[in-house]
Amino acid sequence: MSTTRINRTNRLLIGAVAVVGILAGAAGIAAAVTGDGGPGPAAVADRGDDDRGDDDRGDDVGEHDDDLTAEQAAGLREGAAVGQEEAEATARAEAPGTIHRTEIEEEDGRVVWDVEVDGDDGSRHDIQVDAATGEIVEHDIDDD
């Protein structure tokens, strides 16, 4: 067998192995996004209002707008330049207090983190933080 033929065979073999690896990786990503691969981001996001997860502070986390599917919410989170922790820090700086709930949603064509803060002053603050820029786009206060 000539050296040229061996090199061509090696290149074909390496190419085939690379394609198989790429396909396996794509299948793994698809399983994680659809929740078929066990608990992953999609499974965590797929909680209703009555079955929220709590973090160490007792806050509700991992929520999304009820109009979104878990996959859509996961896509919004993945595409957000500003993460949940940064959005919560921005909201706390605007209204000092304890985070009650954070969810990602699409509002008027804009992806926002909707953060509810139980203010130190006793009021409830609903603060929307733009997921692309980190700017506060809305701040409502409920004094009840």
Side-chain angles (χ1 to χ4, degrees), residues 35-143:
D36 294 341
V44 171
D46 194 22
R47 293 188 217 138
D49 287 339
D50 296 328
D51 187 24
R52 292 183 176 167
D54 293 336
D55 68 6
D56 294 337
R57 301 175 312 236
D59 301 333
D60 297 325
V61 295
E63 290 302 306
H64 59 87
D65 185 330
D66 288 338
D67 294 338
L68 298 175
T69 66
E71 289 80 14
Q72 289 170 325
L76 291 180
R77 280 192 301 277
E78 288 176 16
V82 175
Q84 180 175 341
E85 288 182 14
E86 185 178 344
E88 289 176 348
T90 299
R92 262 198 217 105
E94 175 78 6
T98 304
I99 301 296
H100 175 73
R101 177 194 50 78
T102 300
E103 64 183 25
I104 195 161
E105 58 190 30
E106 193 166 348
E107 186 84 22
D108 298 326
R110 172 185 278 175
V111 178
V112 297
W113 288 101
D114 187 9
V115 184
E116 280 187 14
V117 179
D118 291 333
D120 291 340
D121 61 358
S123 61
R124 168 81 45 105
H125 299 261
D126 186 17
I127 301 170
Q128 290 187 350
V129 179
D130 189 300
T133 66
E135 295 178 6
I136 294 173
V137 295
E138 189 173 324
H139 181 174
D140 296 323
I141 302 171
D142 183 9
D143 293 326

